[in-house]
Amino acid sequence: MNQKLEIIGHYFKLSDLASSDRQALNEIINLFSNDAVVEGANGVVADNTAKIASFFENFFKDNQELRHLCCISPKKLFEI
């Protein structure tokens, strides 16, 4: 599996733990580069490291029961 697919898979595994596991939350935050931009469905835009950390801290605080079903298919993966 290529590195991008591994990162996506790792994100979804961690996201199921992040609401109750600070280490998992920190690992998610560290998956993003310093110049990443995260845009939430609610319109919140996190465009630096501190805002991305705050975005995910709030997201996982608000979504305590979050569980993902994830199947990564390299043939269907969009260009990142």
Side-chain angles (χ1 to χ4, degrees):
M1 189 179 296
N2 75 38
Q3 184 181 14
K4 290 177 184 178
L5 296 177
E6 289 176 16
I7 291 169
I8 292 168
H10 193 57
Y11 168 85
F12 282 107
K13 287 178 185 175
L14 291 170
S15 68
D16 287 344
L17 304 171
S19 62
S20 61
D21 182 336
R22 184 66 192 192
Q23 182 176 344
L25 175 60
N26 288 335
E27 286 185 48
I28 286 176
I29 293 165
N30 289 328
L31 289 174
F32 292 85
S33 68
N34 292 336
D35 60 347
V37 177
V38 175
E39 185 172 347
N42 60 358
V44 172
V45 176
D47 58 3
N48 65 46
T49 304
K51 289 180 182 178
I52 290 172
S54 178
F55 173 87
F56 282 108
E57 287 168 357
N58 290 324
F59 179 83
F60 288 110
K61 182 172 56 172
D62 293 342
N63 295 283
Q64 295 288 315
E65 299 296 321
L66 190 64
R67 296 292 174 259
H68 289 92
L69 297 174
C70 177
C71 178
I72 299 171
S73 175
K75 294 178 184 178
K76 295 180 182 180
L77 184 65
F78 57 89
E79 191 66 31
I80 296 177

